[in-house]
């Protein structure tokens, strides 16, 4: 299995909602990533988990809260988002610093 | 100035043409990555290289470490190659990728 899966594919939420994005991989990768991508821009790194511990937080606002319950699963909890947070959220995984495998993304719209 | 620069930003070509996308970087790297993203879609890793040349089907990637430059070539281009191609570098074993701005490729039938 060489796939990173993400759910949901699309999400529309209000500014007062709480929602979660989910990412899963079964390649035995020990590093997992969250990226945010705005239209026609490259991805921006948000968080990196290495061996289930948060290793990089790129000064992301606290309304985004990552969680890594186990080595295969990565969540991104969303609360009190703003319309400018609307974007494609991509998850990726890698074996340490090797090639990253990306998921299909969750397209988030905040109304 | 961005640490990773790609050219051209946009490229339109006819089916069958030979395509070259360039990437220059200004920092020391441990590896360079070429990624492909179709409209509205996720990202696929095409190549990761730290020296020389790699080939996969109609795609070829080369890197010149001394000149801090890499090229992605597509032979016998096809409309399904239409996508954004992104160059990214990783540094010193770090997990963080530094991305170029991407090259939007359109192949017309």
């Amino acid at each position: 299995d060489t796939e990173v899966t993400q759910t949901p594919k699309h999400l529309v939420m209000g500014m007062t909602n709480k929602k979660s994005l989910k990412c899963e991989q079964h390649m035995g990768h020990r590093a997992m990533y969250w990226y945010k991508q705005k239209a026609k821009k490259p991805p921006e790194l948000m968080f990196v988990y290495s061996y289930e511990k948060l290793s990089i937080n790129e000064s992301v606002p606290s309304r985004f809260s990552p969680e890594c319950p186990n080595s295969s699963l990565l969540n991104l909890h969303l609360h009190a988002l703003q319309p400018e947070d609307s974007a494609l959220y991509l998850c990726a995984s890698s074996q340490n610093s090797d090639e990253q495998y990306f998921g299909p993304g969750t397209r988030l719209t905040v109304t | 100035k961005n640490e990773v620069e790609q050219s051209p930003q946009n490229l339109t070509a006819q089916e069958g043409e030979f395509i070259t996308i360039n990437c220059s970087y200004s920092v020391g790297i441990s590896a360079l990555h070429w990624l492909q993203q179709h409209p509205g879609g996720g990202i696929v890793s095409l190549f990761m290289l730290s020296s020389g040349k790699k080939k996969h089907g109609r795609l070829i990637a080369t890197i010149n470490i001394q000149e801090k430059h890499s090229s992605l070539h597509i032979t016998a281009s096809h409309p399904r190659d239409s996508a954004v191609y992104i160059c990214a570098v990783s540094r010193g074993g770090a997990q963080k990728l530094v991305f170029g701005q991407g090259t939007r490729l359109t192949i017309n039938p």
Side-chain angles (χ1 to χ4, degrees):
Chain A
D1 185 356
T2 58
E3 196 181 32
V4 176
T5 59
Q6 288 187 244
T7 54
K9 284 189 166 45
H10 301 273
L11 178 63
V12 179
M13 61 186 289
M15 289 189 283
T16 58
N17 291 161
K18 284 186 183 181
K19 297 285 184 183
S20 296
L21 310 184
K22 179 180 169 182
C23 173
E24 201 160 1
Q25 58 87 14
H26 296 285
M27 294 178 277
H29 289 169
R30 305 318 298 257
M32 295 186 77
Y33 310 74
W34 279 116
Y35 290 90
K36 172 183 176 180
Q37 187 179 27
K38 302 286 274 186
K40 300 191 177 183
K41 296 288 187 184
E44 300 169 37
L45 183 66
M46 301 175 72
F47 302 104
V48 181
Y49 272 82
S50 184
Y51 291 88
E52 301 166 47
K53 290 190 181 345
L54 184 64
S55 59
I56 298 177
N57 177 342
E58 290 287 288
S59 303
V60 179
S62 60
R63 57 186 184 269
F64 296 91
S65 174
E67 179 197 19
C68 189
N70 59 58
S71 60
S72 300
L73 194 54
L74 186 67
N75 297 320
L76 186 63
H77 303 297
L78 314 172
H79 173 54
L81 294 194
Q82 303 296 310
E84 59 265 27
D85 296 321
S86 298
L88 181 69
Y89 287 83
L90 292 159
C91 173
S93 70
S94 71
Q95 187 66 315
N96 300 320
S97 305
D98 289 342
E99 181 178 9
Q100 292 188 20
Y101 290 76
F102 286 82
T106 293
R107 188 158 299 281
L108 174 68
T109 303
V110 181
T111 60
Chain B
K1 191 178 191 300
N2 292 335
E3 290 179 324
V4 180
E5 295 275 358
Q6 286 185 238
S7 63
Q9 288 188 357
N10 294 283
L11 178 56
T12 300
Q14 291 300 121
E15 183 173 356
E17 287 189 38
F18 181 82
I19 302 298
T20 296
I21 299 171
N22 296 301
C23 176
S24 297
Y25 53 92
S26 56
V27 295
I29 67 169
S30 55
L32 184 140
H33 307 252
W34 281 104
L35 310 169
Q36 179 195 56
Q37 186 171 32
H38 281 100
I43 291 173
V44 174
S45 177
L46 299 175
F47 295 103
M48 174 178 154
L49 63 166
S50 53
S51 65
K53 177 178 173 178
K54 286 190 176 181
K55 184 175 190 289
H56 185 248
R58 295 181 294 107
L59 272 57
I60 303 166
T62 64
I63 188 168
N64 185 318
I65 297 293
Q66 287 74 29
E67 295 187 4
K68 292 188 166 62
H69 181 268
S70 175
S71 293
L72 176 68
H73 304 287
I74 305 175
T75 61
S77 60
H78 190 276
R80 65 175 174 267
D81 297 325
S82 299
V84 175
Y85 292 83
I86 304 170
C87 173
V89 301
S90 48
R91 304 173 59 183
Q95 294 165 318
K96 183 177 176 178
L97 293 179
V98 180
F99 293 90
Q101 290 300 305
T103 294
R104 188 170 300 274
L105 174 65
T106 302
I107 303 295
N108 293 319

